[in-house]
Amino acid sequence: MLCSKVFTLPLSFVLFGTISSAFALDESKQCCHNTPPRFGMLSTPTEIRGMSLIPAGEFTMGTNEEDSYQPERPAHRVKLNSFYIDQTEVTNAAFQKFVNETHYKTVAETKPDWEELKTQVPPGTEKPSEDLLVPSSLVFTAPPQKVSLSNPTQWWSWVAGASWKHPEGPKSSIKNRMNHPVVQVSYQDAVAFCEHVGKRLPTEAEWEYAARGGLDHKRFAWGDSFMVDNKYMANTFQGSFPDRNSKEDGFLTTSPVKSFKPNGYGLYDMIGNVWEWTSDWYDANYFKTFAAESVADNPKGPEKSNDPEEPFAIKRVTKGGSFLCTASYCVNYRPSARRGSAYDSGSSNLGFRCAKSDDSKPVH
């Protein structure tokens, strides 16, 4: 079932203590549509270590199912060249190696720049006090009791000192999570990592094609049933959202990569675990621009970000859902599901994987 209402937690709430009218969305809008904004591999011509070669082909992108959200409709045909994509989400161990080699500092570890931040809030917004402009990131914290699903501020909060090294805040650690996906990374951070290893982020079309694993017109990445032989196929949320995760799939938050079976292309965790960045700008109405009778050739997304519900936010497409997706609130654990995430934001359920063009094949 889809949730009845959608709410977001913009940075303006954190900095100015107000909830804008943008929160009052009607029942037709996408649940979990937004998250609160904030500001060399070894290779041969035929294979790349840790990546799968996705063959060129056509597939149906998006969906026409009623039990879906407006931004993922209508379904349309897409043609893609072959490309490579990481078999797993980038792990804490891999990101640690990148930081050690480059001394890179993530957005969450950097003090927000008001000159940049004010371009993402309504004109005339006053600068917040300096004690609010501190390095921080978005953290999910389960409330102690059942709460209304209409107000995500009851389970999402900006935590000073939260970063990829400290996903839930300064007292947390990745020491025993080196094989879990790295989180609390912004779009900028993901791009920096991919460039360092000679790769790039996948386009939204590439990501969805890869996630389907060779299956077309299927609701899930593995078929039409959420569970197979009474087994969970991905790390999602079971129980009472957001206060009690019953962990029927074995995990409370992120899970180690490769904890679930791979799809038809040998890719792990394309669904669930953590949301994943793509290179496309997010436009809630983008799929409406495709003609039903034509086939889109290697689409790269719209020219700019466009979210009518948060017109000042600058967003990129994220895909795949996360360990927080559940039938009672956020049915985004499907290949067609899509949302926009503020490009300068990280959260405790957002990561990425890299892609690479197949230079051995001619561009058709």
Side-chain angles (χ1 to χ4, degrees), residues 188-327:
Q188 173 183 321
D189 302 330
V191 168
F193 176 95
C194 291
E195 289 180 347
H196 178 68
V197 296
K199 302 179 186 179
R200 58 175 173 80
L201 286 175
T203 66
E204 180 182 6
E206 287 175 335
W207 192 99
E208 184 170 331
Y209 181 45
R212 292 183 179 277
L215 301 178
D216 209 1
H217 299 286
K218 296 296 182 182
R219 180 166 175 79
F220 303 104
W222 47 84
D224 288 321
S225 298
F226 179 60
M227 298 182 72
V228 177
D229 296 330
N230 220 27
K231 295 180 180 179
Y232 289 97
M233 303 299 290
N235 180 5
T236 57
F237 192 104
Q238 301 87 47
S240 171
F241 184 86
D243 57 294
R244 185 182 62 82
N245 187 341
S246 59
K247 300 190 296 182
E248 293 168 30
D249 60 12
F251 302 101
L252 182 63
T253 58
T254 59
S255 55
V257 298
K258 298 187 177 182
S259 293
F260 296 85
K261 290 183 178 181
N263 71 3
Y265 289 144
L267 308 177
Y268 297 85
D269 301 307
M270 294 297 286
I271 299 300
N273 213 8
V274 296
W275 285 94
E276 299 182 17
W277 287 108
T278 73
S279 62
D280 289 26
W281 291 111
Y282 176 75
D283 184 337
N285 299 311
Y286 180 53
F287 284 9
K288 295 179 181 179
T289 66
F290 292 95
E293 67 280 2
S294 65
V295 178
D297 190 353
N298 291 286
K300 299 295 191 294
E303 295 184 356
K304 61 181 180 179
S305 171
N306 174 36
D307 186 347
E309 301 302 335
E310 290 185 308
F312 296 101
I314 304 172
K315 299 184 177 184
R316 297 279 183 170
V317 174
T318 51
K319 298 279 285 183
S322 78
F323 63 84
L324 293 178
C325 284
T326 177

Side-chain angles (χ1 to χ4, degrees), residues 5-9 19 22-25 32 34 149-152 329:
K5 292 204 181 269
V6 179
F7 291 82
T8 63
L9 175 58
I19 299 180
F23 279 59
L25 308 185
C32 281
N34 304 305
L149 298 183
S150 64
N151 184 2
Y329 181 68

